[in-house]
Amino acid sequence: MMASQPSHVRRHRAQQQITPKGILVTSTPPAILVLADGRVFRGVGFGATGTTLGEAVFTTAMTGYQETMTDPSYHRQIVVATAPQIGNTGWNDEDGESHGDKIWVAGLVIRDLAHQASNWRATRSLEDEMTAQGIVGIRGVDTRALVRHVRNHGSIAAGLFSGEDAQRPEAELLAIVKAQPSMAGSDLAGDVSTDDTYVVEPEGEQRFTVVAYDMGIKTNTPRNFVQRGIRTIVVPANTSYEDIMRHNPEGVFVSNGPGDPATADEMVAVVREVLANKVPFFGICFGNQILGRALGMNTYKLKFGHRGINVPVINHDTGTIDITAQNHGFALEGTAGEVFDTPFGPAKVTHTCLNDGVVEGVALLDGTAYSVQYHPEAAAGPHDANPLFDQFIELLEARQEGNK
């Protein structure tokens, strides 16, 4: 697995010293966020000191920064928090969403850093964890102006520089930012996927076995499976259809993950084999884009993406509106409620976003495969969409009865 570390970091905290008059003075490193269009935002560094590169994106979530930062889908992204204060709940050993609780964001941009963690589960501060994992942050930024800029002009390549690096000429820093690879066309799932297959055993009696493709899977996804009696076999991205069928699964799942879905040709080919053999299929986020491509749909890059835990989505089959957690910068081309032909039978655009009409879910009309663009496993909430896991159980039960 490739490391998701900033380009050049030094792990140290702000230095404190006592003056001869007994006054506590804290020296903090200067920091600067440089966007590829030349816009700059200055502030104060926190966490690790050095340089990190990525795509500047914003999240509208008011809570759950630990879940956000450990979500592998944020690989190579510098995340801007719209919430004005971050760090107030500290950091704990329970809410991480990555295998090993690794922080995947490339950097963090905030307005105000809480001086003290005030949550009974916190074992350390946000800054402590960022320093330990080598994650560069900047605080004191006018995040309202920054978010308006990204919203108006789109997600953009950026660089976060702190300490000595922040004092280099802006033209030199801008050149570094512009030289980084574009997010469009980037195949990143291999960076975050597991290297080895592992099994998460069910709670209580085992009802089914499901193979889950780790494209950047969040830990709460297998947790939702095992709570429903599913033995979950997590496999690396691009594992062949022949290899997964050796586990005799009743169903196949493809997880969320980072990167451009247009590069995921191997996974699309695998899913086409799954569909051709009528193996029950469920996909989330990146898995939705892969299912869509397997059905013949195209993908495109969104202007600034959907990132937050307050995105309204309508189900065109039921008329139900769910408030959802999302994190994606790419989407499927399609229109609300559209029915279209595929090599595996007719399919439908089942869900769209009420904010902008973006496709949020597709399914085969025979019920054997479905996916959503959002996160029904959302650990920080909301939980409106959690019954989608029960829908998968119903699909597995129907397949089991059909086989009998």
Side-chain angles (χ1 to χ4, degrees):
M1 181 185 297
M2 293 178 61
S4 174
Q5 289 291 339
S7 305
H8 177 228
V9 297
R10 294 177 289 280
R11 293 172 171 81
H12 75 78
R13 294 287 303 274
Q15 299 298 311
Q16 295 181 333
Q17 58 181 351
I18 304 295
T19 69
K21 294 184 178 181
I23 300 174
L24 177 64
V25 177
T26 301
S27 61
T28 52
I32 183 173
L33 176 71
V34 180
L35 305 184
D37 62 6
R39 187 77 184 268
V40 300
F41 295 83
R42 291 191 176 272
V44 176
F46 73 101
T49 302
T51 293
T52 187
L53 301 174
E55 180 184 47
V57 302
F58 64 86
T59 172
T60 58
M62 296 295 289
T63 61
Y65 59 80
Q66 181 171 340
E67 290 89 340
T68 293
M69 295 176 69
T70 54
D71 180 351
S73 296
Y74 279 106
H75 176 40
R76 269 191 53 192
Q77 292 179 328
I78 297 174
V79 175
V80 183
T82 58
Q85 186 179 74
I86 299 295
N88 54 316
T89 55
W91 198 274
N92 62 58
D93 295 318
E94 301 170 38
D95 292 342
E97 282 290 347
S98 63
H99 203 48
D101 292 338
K102 177 182 175 61
I103 295 177
W104 281 103
V105 300
L108 184 64
V109 183
I110 65 174
R111 178 182 176 184
D112 182 42
L113 178 67
H115 294 293
Q116 182 176 345
S118 54
N119 185 280
W120 65 275
R121 295 190 304 147
T123 57
R124 52 205 177 278
S125 72
L126 167 63
E127 185 169 18
D128 286 338
E129 190 66 21
M130 289 176 62
T131 302
Q133 295 204 35
I135 304 301
V136 179
I138 182 173
R139 59 183 175 86
V141 171
D142 183 351
T143 50
R144 290 176 300 178
L146 174 54
V147 169
R148 284 175 66 93
H149 186 81
V150 173
R151 185 196 64 187
N152 292 337
H153 299 281
S155 299
I156 187 171
L160 180 50
F161 308 87
S162 66
E164 296 177 0
D165 294 352
Q167 301 177 51
R168 298 163 66 179
E170 289 183 9
E172 185 178 321
L173 300 180
L174 181 59
I176 294 172
V177 169
K178 289 183 174 181
Q180 68 179 293
S182 170
M183 187 62 72
S186 292
D187 183 3
L188 302 180
D191 292 0
V192 302
S193 181
T194 180
D195 292 326
D196 303 301
T197 297
Y198 63 93
V199 179
V200 185
E201 297 293 349
E203 296 176 1
E205 181 182 357
Q206 177 179 329
R207 301 177 63 192
F208 302 104
T209 296
V210 166
V211 165
Y213 276 91
D214 179 7
M215 311 301 291
I217 197 168
K218 294 162 68 175
T219 57
N220 206 39
T221 299
R223 189 178 298 127
N224 271 277
F225 283 145
V226 302
Q227 289 171 351
R228 291 165 170 81
I230 292 178
R231 183 172 188 260
T232 308
I233 302 172
V234 183
V235 300
N238 301 327
T239 300
S240 71
Y241 177 78
E242 291 74 17
D243 285 345
I244 67 168
M245 294 313 293
R246 294 191 180 101
H247 299 289
N248 298 313
E250 281 88 10
V252 173
F253 170 81
V254 176
S255 80
N256 59 289
D260 188 343
T263 66
D265 293 343
E266 288 186 68
M267 275 309 308
V268 170
V270 170
V271 171
R272 284 177 176 154
E273 290 190 78
V274 171
L275 301 180
N277 287 282
K278 298 295 182 181
V279 180
F281 176 89
F282 177 27
I284 288 176
C285 200
F286 203 72
N288 179 63
Q289 297 158 4
I290 289 173
L291 175 59
R293 283 197 58 201
L295 296 175
M297 303 173 76
N298 295 319
T299 60
Y300 67 102
K301 193 175 191 304
L302 293 167
K303 182 176 181 180
F304 51 79
H306 295 167
R307 297 176 180 88
I309 58 176
N310 48 8
V311 183
V313 170
I314 184 168
N315 181 330
H316 296 293
D317 290 332
T318 65
T320 303
I321 297 171
D322 288 338
I323 303 302
T324 68
Q326 300 201 12
N327 170 25
H328 63 106
F330 295 84
L332 293 169
E333 294 180 356
T335 57
E338 171 189 5
V339 176
F340 55 98
D341 293 327
T342 81
F344 315 103
K348 181 180 181 180
V349 174
T350 55
H351 300 71
T352 53
C353 178
L354 287 176
N355 288 339
D356 53 15
V358 167
V359 174
E360 296 282 356
V362 294
L364 285 174
L365 292 187
D366 67 4
T368 57
Y370 70 101
S371 61
V372 292
Q373 188 61 64
Y374 46 94
H375 291 268
E377 83 291 343
H383 301 133
D384 296 22
N386 194 258
L388 284 165
F389 286 99
D390 298 320
Q391 180 179 333
F392 194 42
I393 292 291
E394 293 170 2
L395 177 54
L396 297 176
E397 289 174 339
R399 171 66 182 267
Q400 188 178 63
E401 288 301 313
N403 289 339
K404 289 180 181 179

